[in-house]
Structure formats: structure tokens, C-alpha cells
Amino acid sequence: MKIIKSLLTILLLIGSGVIILTIANHYMPSSSFFEREEVPPPNSLHSTVREAKDTLIARSAQKGIEVVITDGHRTDQEQNELYERGRSKEGQVVTNVAGGESYHNYGLAIDFALKLDNGDIVWDMERDDNANGKADWMEVVSIAKDLGFQWGGDWTSFKDYPHLQMNFGLSIRELKYGERPDTGEYAAE
């Protein structure tokens, strides 16, 4: 009887869609159960991403390709500034997501480019400066995928060719609500 007294009963009319649910009130979550709060994102790259980034640079160099990481962790403000390009600010659209909606904001993504011998930074997907008959860009992408990165060039809608990310099976929504990858720690870039 004590159990019955500690139960909370919610009635929903069966005939008009009401069902009777009985829930133990001591198991009942707080009122904020359905109102999840966003958790501030980390402020650096995840260590697994950082290590893979360093390995990507080293393995690419072994093939005669100099990779430059043009972006890593981004704050929401930095993401919003990029989002405004081609919209409320001049320039070409470079992202389809605002602050808090990018894996960059959670330290799980990097962007890369190629560095030429003269120091110029390029986003040329067809260059073959190491003269092996393969586009340097795609060689870097192949190395990145071997390291566990997902490539934005594989996306079906907005292609983001410089973008590499590791989402660890977590959605942006899960990250917003505080879920974090189990492996590694966040570390300075």
C-alpha cells in the first residue's frame, strides 16, 4: 500500500486519447526533465582531434604535401561571424550553421588548406605539387579519413571541402546538452 500511496497517476482519456499512466513519484524527475538546458561548449580542441591533426600534418609532409590548419576550435561568436559572410556581410557563404551548431564549437573539427613552396595558402583541389599523379588535396583527405575524420566534401547538401570532423557518434543537439566524447581530454591547440 505504501507503494500505491507513493504513486503519481496521470489520467488521459482513453476514448479521446487518454491513457492512465502510473509513475512512482520518488522516481519522477524534476520539473526540468523535459526542459534541458544547454551546456557551455569546451574552449579548445579535443585531444584525439588535436593528435589526429598533428598526425595528418606529419603524414602529409611525408608525401611532400604541406598542410596548414586554417581553423580548429571556434567560439560561437567566431562561428556567427563566419555565418554572416554572404548574408548580412560581404563575401562568399562559407558555412550554413550559426554559433553552437558546428562541430568546431565543440573542439571536434578542423579546416585545412595547402601551403605552396612560396608560402601562399591555397584551397586548390586539383594541384599535384608532389607530382605523383594524385591531387594533393585528395591525398590529404584520404589520410584524414584513415585517421578517423569525416570529410565535409562527402556531405550531400552543402559541400565543405576544407572541413574535417570527428563527431564520436554525437549529434550537435547532444553536444549542446552536455554530452561529450568519452575518449581523451580537451587540450590547447
Side-chain angles (χ1 to χ4, degrees), residues 10-27:
I10 300 171
L11 297 175
L12 302 171
L13 295 172
I14 294 175
S16 18
V18 177
I19 301 171
I20 298 174
L21 297 174
T22 306
I23 303 168
N25 64 3
H26 63 282
Y27 291 115

Side-chain angles (χ1 to χ4, degrees), residues 41-91:
N43 58 10
S44 61
L45 278 181
H46 187 275
S47 64
T48 302
V49 175
R50 181 183 36 81
E51 290 168 16
K53 170 195 72 144
D54 294 342
T55 302
L56 175 68
I57 292 167
R59 287 189 187 169
S60 298
Q62 290 171 352
K63 291 184 174 244
I65 304 167
E66 190 168 355
V67 172
V68 174
I69 303 304
T70 58
D71 218 345
H73 175 269
R74 284 187 204 134
T75 65
D76 285 359
Q77 180 182 349
E78 291 167 330
Q79 186 70 32
N80 285 332
E81 288 172 11
L82 285 177
Y83 182 75
E84 294 305 319
R85 286 189 195 167
R87 292 178 177 86
S88 63
K89 293 182 180 177
E90 286 188 36

Side-chain angles (χ1 to χ4, degrees), residues 81-128:
E81 288 172 11
L82 285 177
Y83 182 75
E84 294 305 319
R85 286 189 195 167
R87 292 178 177 86
S88 63
K89 293 182 180 177
E90 286 188 36
Q92 182 179 347
V93 171
V94 294
T95 184
N96 275 347
V97 295
E101 299 293 324
S102 171
Y103 284 96
H104 284 283
N105 300 134
Y106 302 93
L108 303 177
I110 59 174
D111 290 342
F112 77 97
L114 304 175
K115 186 174 184 180
L116 305 182
D117 289 340
N118 66 5
D120 289 347
I121 306 298
V122 296
W123 289 263
D124 185 339
M125 293 180 59
E126 297 178 18
R127 294 186 79 84
D128 181 20

Side-chain angles (χ1 to χ4, degrees), residues 158-173:
F158 181 81
K159 302 277 188 184
D160 192 350
Y161 296 107
H163 184 85
L164 301 169
Q165 71 183 33
M166 292 182 178
N167 66 18
F168 298 93
L170 296 171
S171 68
I172 291 293
R173 182 183 175 119

